[in-house]
Amino acid sequence: VQLQASGGGLVQAGGSLRLSCAASGSIFSIDAMSWYRQAPGKERELVVGITSGGSTKYADSVKGRFTISRDNAKNTVYLQMNSLKPEDTAVYYCNADLTYYSGSLLLHMYDYWGQGTQVTVSS
């Protein structure tokens, strides 16, 4: 199983980026999917999460600017980031709560991490 994040880059303050995270492999189901971020010298923090039913939870710092969505058929979660600020600069990671096949077994993992994608917002 792999979580492949993409879409990061360098953008000026006030600009927008759209991140994607696609899960692939022997996946049976995906429950919650989330985006976290980690800025230099800081702890990793939750940005936003979304359940399989579409319920969302945003960090206060991104409410009204970021929008999470998911395509369950594609096992993909998106993060639309608007009105970006320099303080949004961080490595963004996707995370999934998923069930997958391992041979004939079904295994559940609560915290499956993808590789990060760098978002840099210049002032």
Side-chain angles (χ1 to χ4, degrees), residues 55-82:
S55 297
T56 58
K57 180 178 182 180
Y58 290 87
D60 289 342
S61 59
V62 305
K63 282 180 181 177
R65 300 188 298 120
F66 290 11
T67 303
I68 191 171
S69 60
R70 65 187 284 175
D71 184 333
N72 291 329
K74 295 181 178 180
N75 289 332
T76 300
V77 64
Y78 305 97
L79 183 63
Q80 179 65 44
M81 304 185 295
N82 298 328

Side-chain angles (χ1 to χ4, degrees), residues 26-72:
S26 302
I27 296 169
F28 175 76
S29 65
I30 303 178
D31 298 320
M33 299 186 80
S34 304
W35 287 99
Y36 286 74
R37 67 186 180 186
Q38 188 166 19
K42 294 188 177 181
E43 292 187 355
R44 192 172 296 189
E45 63 175 357
L46 175 67
V47 177
V48 59
I50 185 168
T51 67
S52 57
S55 297
T56 58
K57 180 178 182 180
Y58 290 87
D60 289 342
S61 59
V62 305
K63 282 180 181 177
R65 300 188 298 120
F66 290 11
T67 303
I68 191 171
S69 60
R70 65 187 284 175
D71 184 333
N72 291 329

